[in-house]
Amino acid sequence: MKKQKKPKSIFRQEVERDINTFKRLPVKKKIQFIFDYFKWYILAAITILIILITFAQMIYNGQKPCRLRTLVVLNNEENCSSWFDDFEKDLKSDGLPGAFDVNQDQPFDPNNSYFNLQQVEVQAMVSSYRVDVAIGGPALYDYLLYLNACYPLEQILPSETYDSLNSSGMIVFGRADFSYNEDGSIDYSKAVDGNYAIDISNTSFGKKYNKQEDEKNEPLYAIILSNTKHKEDSLKLINCLLEGR
């Protein structure tokens, strides 16, 4: 007796039907059919490609000659480019070569749906030496502490400047290099305590650009990155930020 052929599965029948349908379609319809069929795979591949290109560009730019790179993350939509234009003129008045780069990013908000992507972007900027000085609120400061990316102020500021800021209550304490437990709680057991940020909320810069859009009344900090290769110019920026305090 001849063995009876097993009936085709529903999945196989659908695949054959789609293949037959595809063969009968004109070229334009075939392209549309492929896109509809693999739409999410195509979009995922494009997204990954964009992310890889962006990070590659960030790393490449990080190797270009530059005197100073600054990351500014305000808690509002204020544009402080004019202030940095004036600072750039003063910085370059000494005639030394090298560009001055300012990256003004959107608010660093943990409640933002893109916050994880922002964290990855900041981490990539730090690791590729694209930030010498960061200006932002407590959320950005906490993340830089987590990355252990903050320069201890007593090690980089002139002693007179440090003592003056400390007596004025502008030195901000922090616990660097902390970690997270599996339940999401913070583990400070191996953290490195220190003073890593300057509160510039009451400087002329802070009063002009740290405008609150809600009732949080968050401070504004200036942080020198621990891997900066431009200490002298970083201190020049800090001194300008402290003018009018």
Side-chain angles (χ1 to χ4, degrees):
M1 292 179 61
K2 292 184 179 180
K3 293 183 179 180
Q4 292 183 346
K5 291 184 179 180
K6 292 183 180 180
K8 295 180 181 179
S9 66
I10 296 176
F11 174 76
R12 185 174 178 180
Q13 292 177 26
E14 291 181 352
V15 171
E16 289 182 352
R17 183 189 61 194
D18 290 340
I19 292 174
N20 292 329
T21 301
F22 179 77
K23 290 179 179 179
R24 293 194 299 267
L25 293 174
V27 175
K28 290 184 179 180
K29 292 289 185 179
K30 284 182 178 179
I31 296 173
Q32 184 64 43
F33 183 89
I34 292 173
F35 180 77
D36 291 340
Y37 209 84
F38 299 101
K39 178 169 59 179
W40 297 113
Y41 296 100
I42 294 172
L43 292 176
I46 292 173
T47 302
I48 292 173
L49 181 61
I50 291 174
I51 292 174
L52 291 175
I53 292 174
T54 301
F55 286 162
Q57 184 178 22
M58 289 170 62
I59 293 173
Y60 170 76
N61 289 335
Q63 309 306 318
K64 294 169 64 176
C66 191
R67 286 190 62 170
L68 189 64
R69 293 182 172 91
T70 305
L71 171 65
V72 183
V73 182
L74 303 176
N75 56 10
N76 53 58
E77 300 300 327
E78 289 287 326
N79 190 329
C80 56
S81 58
S82 60
W83 189 95
F84 284 100
D85 287 342
D86 293 336
F87 170 75
E88 183 176 10
K89 292 177 183 177
D90 293 338
L91 179 67
K92 292 185 175 181
S93 62
D94 56 14
L96 295 177
F100 171 62
D101 179 46
V102 180
N103 182 5
Q104 185 169 347
D105 211 340
Q106 60 182 332
F108 202 71
D109 183 5
N111 297 319
N112 190 315
S113 57
Y114 296 102
F115 183 63
N116 289 337
L117 186 59
Q118 283 182 285
Q119 289 181 311
V120 173
E121 181 183 6
V122 170
Q123 184 176 16
M125 293 177 68
V126 171
S127 61
S128 60
Y129 301 93
R130 289 198 66 217
V131 186
D132 296 296
V133 178
I135 298 172
L140 178 62
Y141 181 39
D142 286 343
Y143 187 61
L144 292 175
L145 286 171
Y146 167 70
L147 296 176
N148 195 21
C150 307
Y151 214 123
L153 295 177
E154 59 270 23
Q155 295 181 20
I156 191 169
L157 293 178
S159 56
E160 292 183 2
T161 303
Y162 180 86
D163 292 340
S164 175
L165 294 174
N166 195 29
S167 62
S168 301
M170 297 174 67
I171 298 294
V172 185
F173 174 80
R175 312 190 75 179
D177 203 19
F178 61 85
S179 58
Y180 287 96
N181 297 315
E182 291 183 359
D183 60 359
S185 60
I186 299 177
D187 181 3
Y188 289 114
S189 61
K190 296 182 180 179
V192 182
D193 294 351
N195 299 312
Y196 301 101
I198 303 171
D199 189 340
I200 59 172
S201 305
N202 292 321
T203 64
S204 57
F205 180 92
K207 291 175 181 178
K208 184 174 183 179
Y209 297 109
N210 192 37
K211 297 177 182 178
Q212 307 293 324
E213 295 186 345
D214 48 38
E215 298 180 356
K216 290 183 179 179
N217 197 27
E218 291 185 342
L220 187 66
Y221 299 145
I223 306 114
I224 301 176
L225 276 291
S226 58
N227 64 351
T228 179
K229 296 181 178 179
H230 311 104
K231 294 182 182 180
E232 186 176 339
D233 288 333
S234 295
L235 290 175
K236 288 180 181 180
L237 175 56
I238 294 296
N239 288 332
C240 282
L241 289 168
L242 293 174
E243 289 180 358
R245 60 187 169 110

